[in-house]
Amino acid sequence: MSITMDTTLASLVTNKRRVSALKSLGIVTVGDALTYYPFRVTEPVPLRAIREAAPGQQMAFAAVIRDMRVVPMNARRGYRLEATVDDADFARSRRVPGSTARLTFFSYRKSYVDWVSMRLRAGTSVVVSGMPSEYMGQLQFTHPEILTVAPGAAGTGAGLEGYARGAASGNGAFAGSTDPYASAQSAYPPAAAAPSGAALKYDADTVQEALTRVCRPRPVYHASSRISSEHIHETTLGLLWMMGARTSSTPDGQLAGAGSADIVAPTTDTIAVQNGEEKSGTTAESGAEALSRSIPDVLPESVRKAKNLMHRAEAFLAIHDPASTARFKEAIETLRYEEAFVSQTSLLKARSHAHKSAAHSCPLVTDSLRDQFIASLPFSLTAGQQQVIHDIAADLAHDWPMQRLLQGEVGSGKTVVALAAMLQAVDAGYQAVLVAPTQVLAEQHAETIGRMVEQLKPAIPVTLLTGGMKLAARRKALAAAASGEPGIIVATHAAFSKTFQAPHLALVVIDEQHRFGVEQRESLNAKTDDGTTPHLLVMTATPIPRTAAMTWFGDLDISWLTELPGGRKPIRTVVVNEADAATMGRMFAHIRARVDAGERAYIVCPRIDADDEENEGGSGVSSAAGSARGRAAASGSSARTAAGGRATRAAADAIGIDDPYETFDENGETVARPPLHAVAEIADRLQRLPQFQGIRFATLTGRDKDDVKTQVMADFAGGETPILVSTTVIEVGVDVKQASCIVIFDADRYGLSQLHQLRGRVGRGGTNSWAFLISRAEPGSPAEQRLEVIHHSLDGAEIAQADLEFRGAGDVLGDAQSGGKSSLKLLRVVKDADMIADARTRAEQLLAADPELAGEVQLAGAVLDFTRGNETFLTSS
């Protein structure tokens, strides 16, 4: 069978436990494996004889096992295995005297000790890589990497003696040199079995091969407790071998050639070799051709040559089996540009397609409803609001659909701008729909809009439609929409149901944090009776840096509202270490004082249940992918699993963090972090504090039914329950003017933009307000540095820029909240702004000559995949 990027690993990898472990990282297909990029690559390990060793400096050498012994550790359980190695032959090739060193291994498991003992029998040739130290006057390597070398037939030079003879004659690999790439055979056969017919297999067939493998730069991947970086690397190399790669990419830009190092064929207990496939009979040339066929290039050849980039197959090979660190970086740049080019081509095509569609023209009329509304406002519009309203009016007058993104800080007046646009559509005789993410917010919008338009002539019908309405009211709302009568409809997800019809729909306004993908857009387009496409206005309070907007929203026209209405006081932000009991106590006393003064307080926790087993040991926040990497719960975003894959729906409902910052050690392993605080746990603890005696608490989570949410918010706003403990369900649209304090537990695990959004829930009534960020971050850690940004800044654009720099574009604006699969893994929106601009220019030139990409089949497929994986035009973080 031919192997492609879509081939599943389950059909190729024989170790089912490994298949399962890879799946937990989001790696299901060959394409997933090849695009699971290492986060760093090790430097080449220098060759040194034992006499050249320097304690604390990594080195590699070839030697022979002279003796080995296993010593039980009496003082504690377990065993110590010691092997003495002699590098006389290897040292001779380096023109230094030979010497001995000790290899030491510790283990509680007898099975491991027996396995190492079997490999390190006296007389075995080995290649050792590790960090030397000194113990009791002797050089020692503790748990070094060991590759055993198969004993070769006479005259083959496969073993250490043959290597030394070749080196002495000047023909051996690495002879008299510290360069591990001086020579290599053209192809390596699979690892040989022991001559006696025993089950033992050797790691390499020649010393040259073993030295090449341990000395070459090695990629390090984000791993998990279920699978190590080494095993991820081994599997990926096996897949590349199966697809035709026999040698790594070479510095001359070819896929294979003289002087390149060989990829070792996978063993049958790792990769299922297909029937009829010979593991060692393929030439380098045919192998390179096969890899190119299996991994076709996505970039147009003219673009690739103009930018001097690698072929896609060559880049994958150079990333997962780099000949040098420079080669690795060059390959990363190639695939980074590919991501920029595909994303820009996709956005340009979407923009072009929208302009070809038909829409209802909604020109302004004399004495318009819009102008009546603006004149009736008890305040003057800011200059920014006036400009955006003017731009939207011009867009609505066209007979092709407007596609505009309106970004503005919390409280900047986006609702007024949206209402002006909707009135313009109604004045033209059409319907307008405002889609809100929650029932609470939809009800607030319907009440606010109804109050704002009640004085206008003629009267404007405002219809509320939510999934939680009683049947009679719902039927009445659906009938009003289906009548086609000009008016405003405020809806939740119910607007996407099959029962909702709006035959004269001309404008759709999407409020923040609503997933609005391809299927939803098409469902709203189908509501019209004449096949037209509604105008689209998308609003967000999430600050979006302009470079990010160009990358992710390049198919939309973008407007910014930067001025805040007068009267709002700056929010005082305080970072509190949770272990500082005295400061925590003063904070609670302060909140009690504010409550006694008639104000309200939010307490935000990332989890619903403390005992939710699906969220223990990472809670979807410690370790995707980037890709994972995978996000939120009550707030409506999606959660990530600890290993970077997608979480279950239950987990998504239980975690309120939009995209936690994953922490890894130098080997790519996830670092364990304390469990997240939960709503029920914190509510119980706070009610027991003396500071809150006599105060009623309420709780609110994404699992509560809509009628419960409405009642809880009413009681909170009315002061019956002045302290609300909730998940991030309050992040969007909750407007309680008496709220003056917000406490955010586990603040060091949130994204900066989400913290900024949460902070915007207080201070809306013109009173002094405070945001307390409770952290368990270590002093000087990146998490503490992130909180300092939010501590010192109230500028949403500055915070969003910092968020992008800390965690990357895909996490802040991309799939990790869209519920889809990320198409961007390497592109950095801030740092790669120039690259994105270049890619956009070249994509424009390509589409001008070939609008449908008929001559670029692979690029067309990649664009389609990108569109499917990034359907969200707006995802607030």
Side-chain angles (χ1 to χ4, degrees):
M1 102 181 177
S2 61
I3 301 174
T4 69
M5 297 285 279
D6 295 323
T7 303
T8 61
L9 295 189
S11 64
L12 298 175
V13 179
T14 54
N15 187 329
K16 299 310 174 188
R17 290 182 63 185
R18 184 172 297 188
V19 171
S20 176
L22 289 168
K23 186 177 181 180
S24 72
L25 295 175
I27 304 173
V28 178
T29 66
V30 172
D32 294 335
L34 296 186
T35 56
Y36 191 79
Y37 301 117
F39 68 93
R40 69 181 177 92
V41 64
T42 63
E43 291 295 327
V45 178
L47 286 177
R48 293 186 181 131
I50 292 176
R51 283 191 180 274
E52 299 172 304
Q57 295 183 14
Q58 192 82 9
M59 61 176 283
F61 63 95
V64 173
I65 303 292
R66 290 307 178 207
D67 60 64
M68 183 270 300
R69 64 174 184 153
V70 176
V71 181
M73 293 186 288
N74 296 326
R76 52 195 175 116
R77 293 188 304 111
Y79 305 87
R80 183 177 75 252
L81 185 148
E82 296 178 347
T84 303
V85 293
D86 181 348
D87 74 338
D89 292 325
F90 176 77
R92 190 180 310 122
S93 72
R94 296 185 58 79
R95 298 177 176 85
V96 296
S99 186
T100 61
R102 181 166 52 212
L103 313 181
T104 306
F105 301 84
F106 299 93
S107 180
Y108 290 112
R109 292 187 297 139
K110 185 66 164 59
S111 58
Y112 171 79
V113 172
D114 291 342
W115 176 74
V116 175
S117 301
M118 181 174 61
R119 299 180 73 230
L120 303 186
R121 293 175 297 185
T124 302
S125 295
V126 293
V127 165
V128 181
S129 174
M131 193 87 70
S133 61
E134 190 172 323
Y135 179 70
M136 296 183 67
Q138 185 174 5
L139 201 68
Q140 174 175 278
F141 293 82
T142 304
H143 286 274
E145 179 182 359
I146 300 287
L147 294 184
T148 57
V149 179
T156 64
L160 183 55
E161 291 77 10
Y163 165 85
R165 288 195 299 273
S169 65
N171 297 323
F174 325 112
S177 169
T178 58
D179 177 11
Y181 315 116
S183 173
Q185 298 177 8
S186 61
Y188 297 129
S196 63
L200 176 65
K201 292 184 178 180
Y202 293 93
D203 301 311
D205 299 299
T206 66
V207 171
Q208 293 97 320
E209 174 195 339
L211 286 168
T212 299
R213 285 170 58 186
V214 302
C215 290
R216 287 169 63 79
R218 190 168 311 177
V220 182
Y221 303 80
H222 286 315
S224 72
S225 59
R226 298 181 60 187
I227 187 168
S228 66
S229 172
E230 189 65 34
H231 283 158
I232 295 171
H233 186 215
E234 176 186 77
T235 302
T236 306
L237 287 185
L239 295 172
L240 285 168
W241 194 96
M242 289 290 292
M243 298 176 82
R246 296 298 183 267
T247 57
S248 63
S249 64
T250 56
D252 61 4
Q254 303 302 314
L255 280 171
S260 59
D262 297 292
I263 294 179
V264 179
T267 58
T268 54
D269 58 355
T270 303
I271 298 291
V273 180
Q274 307 305 310
N275 292 334
E277 181 171 6
E278 293 297 329
K279 294 175 67 175
S280 59
T282 309
T283 65
E285 290 74 21
S286 63
E289 292 170 4
L291 188 62
S292 299
R293 287 195 300 271
S294 301
I295 309 176
D297 216 347
V298 168
L299 288 174
E301 189 168 355
S302 58
V303 174
R304 184 167 64 84
K305 288 184 176 179
K307 298 294 294 180
N308 194 28
L309 302 173
M310 297 180 178
H311 186 283
R312 192 176 201 226
E314 181 186 4
F316 280 135
L317 205 50
I319 285 173
H320 296 293
D321 189 36
S324 66
T325 53
R327 194 72 176 150
F328 173 84
K329 293 174 182 176
E330 185 182 346
I332 289 290
E333 285 302 297
T334 290
L335 294 180
R336 186 171 283 147
Y337 189 88
E338 177 189 290
E339 288 185 353
F341 194 86
V342 169
S343 66
Q344 293 308 302
T345 304
S346 175
L347 294 172
L348 288 169
K349 276 183 66 66
R351 190 182 186 92
S352 172
H353 178 74
H355 283 191
K356 293 177 182 178
S357 303
H360 292 298
S361 175
C362 304
L364 274 175
V365 297
T366 305
D367 191 28
S368 66
L369 288 170
R370 189 202 75 169
D371 292 341
Q372 287 184 49
F373 162 65
I374 293 174
S376 71
L377 291 173
F379 52 84
S380 299
L381 296 179
T382 66
Q385 286 175 312
Q386 294 176 24
Q387 182 61 50
V388 173
I389 289 174
H390 174 75
D391 292 342
I392 291 174
D395 288 346
L396 291 175
H398 294 145
D399 58 1
W400 65 82
M402 169 183 73
Q403 288 191 298
R404 185 170 291 275
L405 171 66
L406 175 58
Q407 188 269 313
E409 289 278 4
V410 173
S412 61
K414 296 185 296 297
T415 303
V416 170
V417 172
L419 182 51
M422 290 189 286
L423 289 173
Q424 184 173 336
V426 173
D427 225 1
Y430 299 109
Q431 296 168 294
V433 172
L434 170 62
V435 184
T438 66
Q439 177 168 323
V440 170
L441 187 53
E443 291 171 347
Q444 285 185 5
H445 276 317
E447 180 183 351
T448 301
I449 291 172
R451 194 167 54 246
M452 286 180 162
V453 302
E454 62 184 357
Q455 302 299 327
L456 301 183
K457 302 296 182 183
I460 308 298
V462 179
T463 304
L464 175 65
L465 177 63
T466 70
M469 296 174 70
K470 293 184 177 180
L471 184 59
R474 182 179 172 83
R475 283 177 175 171
K476 184 178 179 180
L478 288 170
S483 71
E485 178 186 4
I488 295 172
I489 303 162
V490 181
T492 57
H493 291 258
F496 303 125
S497 68
K498 294 180 180 179
T499 56
F500 174 73
Q501 295 297 323
H504 294 161
L505 182 60
L507 172 64
V508 175
V509 179
I510 304 296
D511 203 1
E512 58 192 340
Q513 275 233 337
H514 181 73
R515 297 180 193 172
F516 193 56
V518 171
E519 292 179 5
Q520 288 90 343
R521 288 199 300 278
E522 290 177 350
S523 73
L524 282 177
N525 292 347
K527 307 300 182 185
T528 60
D529 59 356
D530 51 10
T532 57
T533 299
H535 297 284
L536 174 66
L537 176 64
V538 185
M539 301 191 299
T540 177
T542 300
I544 305 169
R546 292 173 190 267
T547 52
M550 182 174 68
T551 305
W552 279 97
F553 306 114
D555 55 334
L556 303 179
D557 295 308
I558 304 176
S559 298
W560 278 269
L561 288 178
T562 55
E563 301 173 67
L564 288 180
R568 292 199 65 177
K569 296 181 180 179
I571 302 168
R572 304 174 192 179
T573 304
V574 183
V575 179
V576 181
N577 188 319
E578 189 173 340
D580 185 350
T583 303
M584 292 283 287
R586 290 196 301 271
M587 176 190 72
F588 291 135
H590 172 81
I591 293 172
R592 174 60 188 262
R594 302 322 307 163
V595 169
D596 289 343
E599 296 169 10
R600 315 281 187 271
Y602 298 105
I603 311 290
V604 179
C605 304
R607 279 202 297 173
I608 296 175
D609 300 316
D611 57 353
D612 190 336
E613 292 183 2
E614 290 184 273
N615 299 316
E616 290 297 338
S619 307
V621 298
S622 51
S623 144
S627 246
R629 14 49 20 15
R631 300 177 200 210
S635 62
S637 22
S638 60
R640 267 195 189 183
T641 60
R646 300 287 158 195
T648 63
R649 181 63 201 164
D653 282 340
I655 303 172
I657 291 180
D658 68 339
D659 178 53
Y661 295 92
E662 299 167 341
T663 304
F664 303 94
D665 62 20
E666 63 178 8
N667 294 318
E669 298 283 352
T670 55
V671 176
R673 292 186 285 182
L676 298 166
H677 290 300
V679 168
E681 164 213 349
I682 291 298
D684 181 64
R685 281 172 52 186
L686 295 186
Q687 289 179 86
R688 296 171 185 269
L689 294 177
Q691 293 95 326
F692 296 122
Q693 291 301 310
I695 297 293
R696 291 186 61 194
F697 280 67
T699 61
L700 184 66
T701 74
R703 290 181 187 168
D704 294 329
K705 294 182 178 180
D706 286 337
D707 57 341
V708 173
K709 292 178 183 176
T710 302
Q711 186 60 50
V712 167
M713 290 307 302
D715 291 344
F716 177 65
E720 293 183 37
T721 52
I723 296 180
L724 178 63
V725 185
S726 76
T727 59
T728 51
V729 70
I730 58 106
E731 180 181 352
V732 173
V734 174
D735 189 3
V736 178
K737 298 191 184 306
Q738 299 91 338
S740 63
C741 296
I742 185 168
V743 178
I744 306 172
F745 279 91
D746 295 307
D748 52 303
R749 310 276 283 273
Y750 288 81
L752 295 184
S753 293
Q754 190 180 25
L755 287 174
H756 182 61
Q757 186 91 322
L758 287 166
R759 180 170 60 180
R761 295 304 102 198
V762 298
R764 303 171 73 85
T767 61
N768 290 324
S769 54
W770 293 263
F772 298 98
L773 310 182
I774 312 303
S775 168
R776 288 183 279 186
E778 294 291 330
S781 67
E784 185 182 63
Q785 295 169 19
R786 291 193 296 268
L787 291 181
E788 283 303 302
V789 172
I790 202 89
H791 177 206
H792 294 292
S793 177
L794 292 171
D795 185 331
E798 178 184 337
I799 291 167
Q801 187 85 357
D803 215 5
L804 282 172
E805 292 170 354
F806 275 122
R807 59 175 176 168
D811 286 340
V812 177
L813 301 170
D815 77 291
Q817 295 177 69
S818 72
K821 192 170 189 179
S822 177
S823 296
L824 292 185
K825 295 187 176 182
L826 297 173
L827 195 64
R828 303 161 304 186
V829 170
V830 176
K831 295 181 180 178
D832 296 329
D834 292 341
M835 177 186 289
I836 293 167
D838 180 89
R840 190 175 184 87
T841 300
R842 294 179 188 275
E844 288 173 342
Q845 295 169 353
L846 176 67
L847 289 172
D850 185 4
E852 300 303 319
L853 300 178
E856 300 291 345
V857 177
Q858 296 301 327
L859 176 61
V863 165
L864 182 61
D865 289 342
F866 178 88
T867 304
R868 288 171 174 167
N870 296 277
E871 293 174 349
T872 307
F873 275 84
L874 170 71
T875 317
S876 172
S877 65

